[in-house]
mmCIF file of all heavy atoms in Angstrom:
data_model
loop_
_atom_site.group_PDB
_atom_site.id
_atom_site.type_symbol
_atom_site.label_atom_id
_atom_site.label_comp_id
_atom_site.label_asym_id
_atom_site.label_seq_id
_atom_site.Cartn_x
_atom_site.Cartn_y
_atom_site.Cartn_z
ATOM 1 N N SER A 453 101.884 131.356 111.127
ATOM 2 C CA SER A 453 101.998 131.085 112.559
ATOM 3 C C SER A 453 101.984 129.594 112.874
ATOM 4 O O SER A 453 102.610 129.161 113.854
ATOM 5 C CB SER A 453 100.854 131.777 113.312
ATOM 6 O OG SER A 453 99.595 131.309 112.830
ATOM 7 N N ALA A 454 101.261 128.789 112.080
ATOM 8 C CA ALA A 454 101.169 127.341 112.332
ATOM 9 C C ALA A 454 101.207 126.592 111.007
ATOM 10 O O ALA A 454 100.188 126.066 110.552
ATOM 11 C CB ALA A 454 99.900 127.018 113.115
ATOM 12 N N PRO A 455 102.364 126.534 110.358
ATOM 13 C CA PRO A 455 102.424 125.900 109.028
ATOM 14 C C PRO A 455 102.134 124.404 109.050
ATOM 15 O O PRO A 455 101.740 123.840 108.026
ATOM 16 C CB PRO A 455 103.856 126.181 108.567
ATOM 17 C CG PRO A 455 104.628 126.405 109.823
ATOM 18 C CD PRO A 455 103.688 127.060 110.771
ATOM 19 N N HIS A 456 102.311 123.751 110.216
ATOM 20 C CA HIS A 456 102.070 122.310 110.273
ATOM 21 C C HIS A 456 100.601 121.973 109.994
ATOM 22 O O HIS A 456 100.290 120.883 109.504
ATOM 23 C CB HIS A 456 102.468 121.770 111.649
ATOM 24 C CG HIS A 456 101.632 122.311 112.766
ATOM 25 N ND1 HIS A 456 101.905 123.520 113.386
ATOM 26 C CD2 HIS A 456 100.515 121.825 113.378
ATOM 27 C CE1 HIS A 456 100.999 123.747 114.335
ATOM 28 N NE2 HIS A 456 100.151 122.729 114.351
ATOM 29 N N MET A 457 99.708 122.893 110.284
ATOM 30 C CA MET A 457 98.289 122.650 110.034
ATOM 31 C C MET A 457 97.992 122.492 108.544
ATOM 32 O O MET A 457 97.062 121.782 108.153
ATOM 33 C CB MET A 457 97.448 123.799 110.604
ATOM 34 C CG MET A 457 97.476 123.897 112.117
ATOM 35 S SD MET A 457 96.700 125.440 112.705
ATOM 36 C CE MET A 457 95.210 125.489 111.724
ATOM 37 N N LEU A 458 98.795 123.142 107.705
ATOM 38 C CA LEU A 458 98.593 123.092 106.261
ATOM 39 C C LEU A 458 99.438 122.018 105.595
ATOM 40 O O LEU A 458 98.981 121.342 104.670
ATOM 41 C CB LEU A 458 98.917 124.453 105.650
ATOM 42 C CG LEU A 458 98.861 124.552 104.124
ATOM 43 C CD1 LEU A 458 97.443 124.327 103.635
ATOM 44 C CD2 LEU A 458 99.383 125.905 103.652
ATOM 45 N N LEU A 459 100.666 121.834 106.063
ATOM 46 C CA LEU A 459 101.604 120.967 105.367
ATOM 47 C C LEU A 459 101.173 119.501 105.409
ATOM 48 O O LEU A 459 101.289 118.796 104.392
ATOM 49 C CB LEU A 459 103.002 121.124 105.963
ATOM 50 C CG LEU A 459 103.648 122.498 105.781
ATOM 51 C CD1 LEU A 459 105.025 122.536 106.434
ATOM 52 C CD2 LEU A 459 103.760 122.842 104.292
ATOM 53 N N TRP A 460 100.670 119.025 106.543
ATOM 54 C CA TRP A 460 100.354 117.599 106.647
ATOM 55 C C TRP A 460 99.151 117.192 105.795
ATOM 56 O O TRP A 460 99.250 116.227 105.019
ATOM 57 C CB TRP A 460 100.152 117.214 108.111
ATOM 58 C CG TRP A 460 101.418 117.269 108.906
ATOM 59 C CD1 TRP A 460 101.737 118.118 109.928
ATOM 60 C CD2 TRP A 460 102.573 116.443 108.720
ATOM 61 N NE1 TRP A 460 103.001 117.873 110.402
ATOM 62 C CE2 TRP A 460 103.543 116.849 109.678
ATOM 63 C CE3 TRP A 460 102.893 115.402 107.854
ATOM 64 C CZ2 TRP A 460 104.778 116.240 109.786
ATOM 65 C CZ3 TRP A 460 104.139 114.784 107.958
ATOM 66 C CH2 TRP A 460 105.060 115.208 108.915
ATOM 67 N N PRO A 461 98.012 117.850 105.861
ATOM 68 C CA PRO A 461 96.922 117.448 104.954
ATOM 69 C C PRO A 461 97.240 117.707 103.490
ATOM 70 O O PRO A 461 96.841 116.918 102.620
ATOM 71 C CB PRO A 461 95.733 118.288 105.432
ATOM 72 C CG PRO A 461 96.315 119.411 106.200
ATOM 73 C CD PRO A 461 97.570 118.899 106.805
ATOM 74 N N ALA A 462 97.976 118.790 103.194
ATOM 75 C CA ALA A 462 98.354 119.038 101.805
ATOM 76 C C ALA A 462 99.323 117.967 101.303
ATOM 77 O O ALA A 462 99.231 117.520 100.148
ATOM 78 C CB ALA A 462 98.981 120.426 101.671
ATOM 79 N N GLY A 463 100.244 117.530 102.152
ATOM 80 C CA GLY A 463 101.156 116.456 101.761
ATOM 81 C C GLY A 463 100.433 115.144 101.525
ATOM 82 O O GLY A 463 100.739 114.419 100.567
ATOM 83 N N ALA A 464 99.471 114.814 102.390
ATOM 84 C CA ALA A 464 98.695 113.583 102.199
ATOM 85 C C ALA A 464 97.911 113.634 100.890
ATOM 86 O O ALA A 464 97.832 112.646 100.153
ATOM 87 C CB ALA A 464 97.754 113.373 103.382
ATOM 88 N N LEU A 465 97.335 114.791 100.579
ATOM 89 C CA LEU A 465 96.592 114.949 99.331
ATOM 90 C C LEU A 465 97.516 114.791 98.124
ATOM 91 O O LEU A 465 97.177 114.106 97.150
ATOM 92 C CB LEU A 465 95.908 116.312 99.308
ATOM 93 C CG LEU A 465 95.177 116.686 98.026
ATOM 94 C CD1 LEU A 465 94.021 115.737 97.754
ATOM 95 C CD2 LEU A 465 94.688 118.136 98.095
ATOM 96 N N SER A 466 98.683 115.405 98.175
ATOM 97 C CA SER A 466 99.621 115.327 97.047
ATOM 98 C C SER A 466 100.100 113.902 96.825
ATOM 99 O O SER A 466 100.186 113.438 95.673
ATOM 100 C CB SER A 466 100.815 116.255 97.307
ATOM 101 O OG SER A 466 100.401 117.597 97.450
ATOM 102 N N ILE A 467 100.408 113.183 97.892
ATOM 103 C CA ILE A 467 100.877 111.802 97.761
ATOM 104 C C ILE A 467 99.779 110.926 97.165
ATOM 105 O O ILE A 467 100.039 110.071 96.306
ATOM 106 C CB ILE A 467 101.334 111.270 99.134
ATOM 107 C CG1 ILE A 467 102.607 111.996 99.577
ATOM 108 C CG2 ILE A 467 101.568 109.769 99.086
ATOM 109 C CD1 ILE A 467 103.053 111.638 100.969
ATOM 110 N N THR A 468 98.543 111.133 97.595
ATOM 111 C CA THR A 468 97.436 110.329 97.079
ATOM 112 C C THR A 468 97.216 110.569 95.592
ATOM 113 O O THR A 468 97.093 109.617 94.801
ATOM 114 C CB THR A 468 96.149 110.653 97.857
ATOM 115 O OG1 THR A 468 96.368 110.414 99.251
ATOM 116 C CG2 THR A 468 94.994 109.800 97.376
ATOM 117 N N VAL A 469 97.166 111.826 95.191
ATOM 118 C CA VAL A 469 96.960 112.146 93.776
ATOM 119 C C VAL A 469 98.121 111.620 92.938
ATOM 120 O O VAL A 469 97.919 111.032 91.863
ATOM 121 C CB VAL A 469 96.785 113.662 93.595
ATOM 122 C CG1 VAL A 469 96.712 114.022 92.113
ATOM 123 C CG2 VAL A 469 95.532 114.147 94.316
#
Side-chain angles (χ1 to χ4, degrees):
S453 59
H456 65 275
M457 293 170 46
L458 176 65
L459 295 179
W460 291 114
L465 175 63
S466 300
I467 291 174
T468 303
V469 174

